[in-house]
Amino acid sequence: MIVKSLDEIKGTVDDVADGHWESRRFILQKDGMGFSLHDTIIHAGTESVFWYKYHQEAVYCIEGEGEIEDLTDGKIYPIKAGTMYALDGHEKHRLRAKTQMRMVCVFNPPCTGQEIHDEEGAYRLPEQEAASQK
Ligand code: 9YT
C-alpha cells in the first residue's frame, strides 16, 4: 500500500514547477499503478496551451476558477471547484486560470515524472524520449 501526504512531496523531485503551474506527483509510473496522480496548482492569471497527444488526462478542479477552451472546436467551458474535464480525445486545449486553481489530475499512461512539455504542449512517452536520444 502507498500512503503519502502532500507535505511529504513538497520540495522533493516529485514537486515540479513550470512558470504557470506546480505539480505535486503522488503516483508515477514507477509505482506500477497504470496511471499517475498529480495535485496541480495553476497560477492565477495564466494561460497555458496543453496537448497530451500520447496521454489521456482527467482533471478535477477542487479550488479556484477559470476556463478551458477546446482548441479543436473553439468551445469554452467554465471550470470551478467541483468541475471535472477529461481529454478522452487528446484534445489540444487552452487553460485560463482566473484565480489560482487546484486540480487533481490523472494521466494514462502514467507520467514518469521526467516529462517536459514540448513545443506543442505534449508530454512525450519514455520510448519516444529514448529514441530521440539515440
Ligand atoms: C491541468 C494540467 O494539465 N496541468 C499541467 C500540468 C500537468 N497536469 C502535470 O504535469 O501535472
Side-chain angles (χ1 to χ4, degrees):
M1 187 182 294
I2 302 168
V3 179
K4 273 183 202 176
S5 71
L6 187 56
D7 281 344
E8 287 172 60
I9 297 170
K10 285 179 182 169
T12 71
V13 289
D14 294 334
D15 180 354
V16 176
D18 182 83
H20 291 186
W21 50 265
E22 180 178 353
S23 177
R24 293 78 59 94
R25 280 80 184 257
F26 278 93
I27 295 172
L28 287 165
Q29 185 195 49
K30 64 178 163 54
D31 297 306
M33 298 286 290
F35 59 86
S36 58
L37 178 69
H38 314 196
D39 178 327
T40 304
I41 299 290
I42 310 285
H43 300 305
T46 60
E47 279 199 20
S48 309
V49 173
F50 299 120
W51 190 11
Y52 298 115
K53 293 200 269 186
Y54 315 113
H55 297 80
Q56 287 175 317
E57 186 195 23
V59 178
Y60 182 51
C61 177
I62 56 170
E63 290 174 13
E65 59 179 303
E67 61 183 28
I68 184 171
E69 180 178 356
D70 182 338
L71 295 173
T72 67
D73 61 11
K75 283 190 187 160
I76 294 176
Y77 304 87
I79 305 291
K80 61 180 185 182
T83 309
M84 187 279 313
Y85 63 87
L87 301 161
D88 58 340
H90 301 277
E91 293 89 347
K92 187 175 186 178
H93 58 287
R94 179 178 287 117
L95 193 59
R96 295 189 185 91
K98 191 170 163 190
T99 66
Q100 175 173 293
M101 301 171 84
R102 185 168 172 213
M103 320 285 241
V104 177
C105 312
V106 176
F107 278 81
N108 170 36
C111 290
T112 62
Q114 304 303 310
E115 293 85 356
I116 46 170
H117 284 279
D118 70 11
E119 61 286 349
E120 293 186 311
Y123 277 163
R124 293 200 291 183
L125 297 172
E127 53 269 31
Q128 294 170 311
E129 213 53 65
S132 74
Q133 283 163 15
K134 277 186 187 155

